[in-house]
Amino acid sequence: MNKPAAHLETAIVEQDTHPMADLLRMDRMPHIWCSGCGLGTGLTCFIMALKETGIPEDKVAVVSGIGCTGRVAGYLNLDSFHTTHGRGIPFATGLALANPDLRVVVYSGDGDLVAIGGNHFIHSARRNMDLMVVCVNNFTYGMTGGQAGPTTPISAKASTAPYGSYDYPFNIPYLAIASGATYVARWTSLHMRRLKNSMREALPKKGFRVIEIICPCPTAFARKNRLGSGLDLMKHYHDNSIIKHGADPREADIDMNGKVVCGTFLDIERPTFRDFQTENIAKQLGGE
Amino acid sequence: MGEERRVLTGEHFLTGDHACAEGGMAAGCMFFGGYPITPSTEIAERMSLRLPEVGGIFIQMEDEMASMNSILGAAWGGWKSMTCTSGPGFSLMMENLGLGIVLETPTVLVNIQRGGPSTGLPTLSGQADMMQAKWGSHGDYEIIALAPNSPQEIFDHTIKAFNLAEQYRTPVLVMSDESVGHMTEKVIIPPREELKLVPRNYTKKKPGEYLPFECGEDEIPEMVKAGDGYKIHITGLTHDKRGYPDISAEAQDWMVRHLMNKIQKNKKKIIEVERINMDDAEVVVVSYGISSRVAHRGMDLARKTGVKVGMLRLITVWPFPDYMIKELAERVKAFVTVELNFGQIALEVERYVAGKAKCYLVPHAGGDVHKPEDIAEAIKEAAK
Amino acid sequence: MKYWRKPLDADTIKVPHGRIYVVKEQCKGCGFCVEYCPKDVLELSQEFNKKGYHSPVAVREEDCVSCGLCELICPDFAIYAELIEEDETTEETPNKTDKTEKAEV
Amino acid sequence: MKGATTPSRKEVRFTGYGGQGMVVMGLILGRAAAVHDGKSATMTQSYGPEARGGASSTQCIISPSRIFYPYVIEPDVLVGMSQEGYDKHRLNIKPDGKLLYDEDLVTLSPEEKTKNIHSIPATRFAEELGRKIVANIVMLGFFCGLTDFVAEEAIRKAIEESVPKPTITLNIKAFDKGKSYALSLLEGSAAKAKS
């Protein structure tokens, strides 16, 4: 860690002068996320990506489940919905279908999206629903104190796995691709530019898009597993992540000490749920 | 195809389930998210056929939790929405019925009740979800629940449920039963222009002025939809008028009182009952749904033996018409509650009779309806 | 990574300069910006903010090229850099005067 | 025809096997009464998990006024299209009620006490018409010839609205077959009574 500087000449400004203040609910800042948590970095990337796409702010809605990541909905100054645990995707499904002008983003955590919400995740991917899903994976239930989750690596300790977690974790890109998603990428919080670019790429696309962000949780996951600070985890990603676009998702398992495969795993087009509704069904009805 | 297919004006011979779907259509429903479960499946089937005709969307979700959430999402997307379920599916919807109540989302949930607990009697009738309707989602809340007793009524009451949902910005339940859902009778669908529909109460306020949970004396907040520039935030957490989470006892007190008051304060406007033979009644049968039709025969049989018996048929079960029971308890001898369970609404009756008259229950586990003779016997016993 | 030779057009390329702004009370002192600033401009201050964190200061602001990485990596919306226009380097930044102290360049 | 129907509550039970079209019979009769004959009608059916092969029973209440109790108390007519259905319900017929049955599928109990009994080889007639599946409509024609609960024209309209369009002619033929068989039986018994 750098030693503190001796002088203090840097411009100190009010919070609402930050360039992202227009897309944040500044009356709710500072946010609840811990020092060294990567969630905010991912959110910064999202805001920048959104600005770069030029999609009007009024036409973007964000839906979250609950938990640390679930708070994203409450911090973004967009139409935003903070639903129940795991149910972000089905809520977003109704929202997106009822209002096709909206770009609907589901922004939630690993426990929310692939444990309690796992069924919704795979079925929404199967239908190729027009949703962009950002899954922040910090390997744990952070807000409630570090319980084991569906992505907790084998042998990692958690408050509900004091002897180590010994059930196999989900490999989210593999799960998403197998279920039918049409855009799948994974980045760590350290890959800010690439993450932002992925989000910019995925935001205007149709279909079920999944972006996984591997994210440090210094308070719950790192502490229980003696992995150091958030910064230490960022350094770990620096040393251990490999970028491999188009990688076989089966190679993207994450364990405690191995490599983290990042990149865009898949980027294809196939008809979405709405395409089928508007084309096939409409054609049948029109033919009568 | 288009809106001209929305209201199938005319005389039909329909099952309760199909009549329910037609009620949804006539009410302006554009979105149905559901999961098939007997005996409500025919509603979903009919909606899957009918909604695309008017440009609406039917989606078969992966389970009932998803179904309930999808209709909430669709409501905030600006569409009228509904789902239907039965038995275990109703249990699964409880979590997000609570979300619907807390987000004050207008939507309609139809429960075609079957025998329980658990998988129970998928194809046979029951009325044992009545307390679950009121208390099934965790936390304190008030709910509106209607109990139609014929295909015509399930058509009418599905429209009414949509209207109440918009009027009070809340999910509304239609608590029917297998017997009514699977019964076929004449259903008259009126001309479109004769339907009385309540449109969504969209705010006239501008972005920046509007708060999603701010309300006046009537306790009913105005609505917006996503995409209109209001940049709303709404949350299932306890929240303030802005919709921002406020996890404090004070915020909880405000929010829960508001949710209860908005129904309780307006209950005299909401509640609907049918009074039969009540002018000279000394014994009052309280019943709803299919049981009310069976009890009607029980009442006729008892009347033939000279008992002065009438019926208070609950069309609205929740909010419970407590003031009517209180008033009747002052002047009648006894109440006989007839329902396909072991005493759910009977408990409410007893609560408001408060010892001022005798209270009887004719219990039934479900799977069939009561024998009218048993009801007649209970009425005669009550008249003694 | 080091360049093995000086770029041929190095004389014609203008190196941009940035000014760094810190939302001090929003910072949680994670150190991400300090660690990953490619020009090593930042250090953590010795002072505490109200929540007890050390926020960053630009100790070598003259080296800042306004690449924007600090803004992107900051999880707390607490730091950003602004490109200084050539003719503006000695003037106060408009709109910021009422709220900011001018940075020492 | 409307005036010919009696003004009190009538109850009909159709029993048979799943797949014989018992539900369709109830639907057509109920629809005819409710939509085309100015009456009230309530049709209910036994629901089981099996679509075919199991016992199937349909009840139809027809009344000039609002129907409260929607189930059969004591049927005015029991229609038996299966032995099992007949055996199960034969003791529950109104004292002056009628029993109608398919004579190839049902053997009467030696203790059968019902006075008004009429049989028809409905399934055989249907086969002769080319489609066994219309046996229920043959039976409905037979029912129509022997009762006055619902106007004949109303039933014909309800058939046309309820069966697949390409089969309307066949179904109307089936209905006519059953109806004329009923009339010939009535004439036969009238002639017998005369002689």
Side-chain angles (χ1 to χ4, degrees), chain A residues 282-288, chain B residues 1 5 49 53:
Chain A
K283 210 177 283 171
Q284 286 187 51
L285 285 172
E288 251 181 27
Chain B
M1 290 295 161
R5 288 283 299 162
L49 181 77
E53 293 182 345

Side-chain angles (χ1 to χ4, degrees), chain A residues 15-26 29 40-49 51 57 75-77 196, chain C residues 26 68 70-74 76-80:
Chain A
Q15 59 176 22
D16 57 3
T17 58
H18 192 278
M20 277 173 235
D22 56 335
L23 277 174
L24 289 166
R25 293 181 193 274
M26 296 314 292
M29 293 290 143
T41 304
L43 184 55
T44 305
C45 296
F46 177 77
I47 293 172
M48 282 213 176
K51 285 177 179 245
E57 292 162 26
Y75 294 140
L76 278 167
N77 192 21
K196 183 198 71 182
Chain C
Q26 214 150 276
C70 54
E71 182 182 346
L72 251 184
I73 203 170
C74 175
D76 296 282
F77 311 100
I79 188 168
Y80 61 98

Side-chain angles (χ1 to χ4, degrees), chain B residues 7-20:
Chain B
V7 184
L8 300 183
T9 303
E11 292 189 9
H12 304 261
F13 197 55
L14 292 179
T15 64
D17 280 358
H18 285 174
C20 175

Side-chain angles (χ1 to χ4, degrees), chain D residues 34-93:
Chain D
V35 179
H36 299 300
D37 203 15
K39 297 188 171 68
S40 297
T42 302
M43 198 282 272
T44 55
Q45 54 190 300
S46 60
Y47 265 88
E50 63 285 281
R52 292 184 186 273
S56 172
S57 155
T58 304
Q59 310 179 14
C60 200
I61 315 294
I62 298 156
S63 170
S65 52
R66 182 175 166 190
I67 296 165
F68 290 100
Y69 187 67
Y71 303 109
V72 162
I73 301 162
E74 218 172 23
D76 294 271
V77 177
L78 172 68
V79 176
M81 294 281 283
S82 75
Q83 190 67 41
E84 192 186 330
Y86 162 73
D87 289 343
K88 190 174 171 191
H89 296 289
R90 70 178 187 83
L91 293 176
N92 178 231
I93 303 179

Side-chain angles (χ1 to χ4, degrees), chain A residues 28-59:
Chain A
R28 299 198 62 199
M29 293 290 143
H31 54 59
I32 62 158
W33 299 320
C34 307
S35 169
C37 171
L39 266 163
T41 304
L43 184 55
T44 305
C45 296
F46 177 77
I47 293 172
M48 282 213 176
L50 180 58
K51 285 177 179 245
E52 287 177 17
T53 60
I55 298 171
E57 292 162 26
D58 291 351
K59 297 301 167 199

Side-chain angles (χ1 to χ4, degrees), chain B residues 182 184-186 274 293 297, chain D residues 34 42-43 47 67-68 73:
Chain B
H182 278 168
T184 314
E185 284 188 333
K186 177 155 76 179
E274 184 184 5
R293 295 181 64 165
R297 177 163 166 79
Chain D
T42 302
M43 198 282 272
Y47 265 88
I67 296 165
F68 290 100
I73 301 162

Side-chain angles (χ1 to χ4, degrees), chain D residues 178-189:
Chain D
K179 171 97 198 293
S180 58
Y181 189 74
L183 295 181
S184 69
L185 284 188
L186 289 177
E187 279 165 22
S189 57

Side-chain angles (χ1 to χ4, degrees), chain D residues 19-143:
Chain D
Q20 277 181 320
M22 296 300 104
V23 174
V24 175
M25 286 173 87
L27 278 174
I28 291 174
L29 188 67
R31 183 181 177 82
V35 179
H36 299 300
D37 203 15
K39 297 188 171 68
S40 297
T42 302
M43 198 282 272
T44 55
Q45 54 190 300
S46 60
Y47 265 88
E50 63 285 281
R52 292 184 186 273
S56 172
S57 155
T58 304
Q59 310 179 14
C60 200
I61 315 294
I62 298 156
S63 170
S65 52
R66 182 175 166 190
I67 296 165
F68 290 100
Y69 187 67
Y71 303 109
V72 162
I73 301 162
E74 218 172 23
D76 294 271
V77 177
L78 172 68
V79 176
M81 294 281 283
S82 75
Q83 190 67 41
E84 192 186 330
Y86 162 73
D87 289 343
K88 190 174 171 191
H89 296 289
R90 70 178 187 83
L91 293 176
N92 178 231
I93 303 179
K94 251 191 202 134
D96 57 345
K98 289 187 173 72
L99 167 64
L100 277 51
Y101 69 98
D102 186 319
E103 59 192 54
D104 294 317
L105 302 180
V106 175
T107 309
L108 287 189
S109 159
E111 286 138 45
E112 181 57 60
K113 298 254 169 41
T114 307
K115 291 191 188 86
N116 295 317
I117 301 181
H118 308 275
S119 70
I120 177 171
T123 308
R124 185 134 39 90
F125 283 162
E127 276 183 349
E128 285 165 16
L129 287 165
R131 294 286 302 278
K132 187 178 171 181
I133 198 168
V134 297
N136 58 341
I137 307 295
V138 176
M139 184 57 98
L140 201 58
F142 191 56
F143 172 92

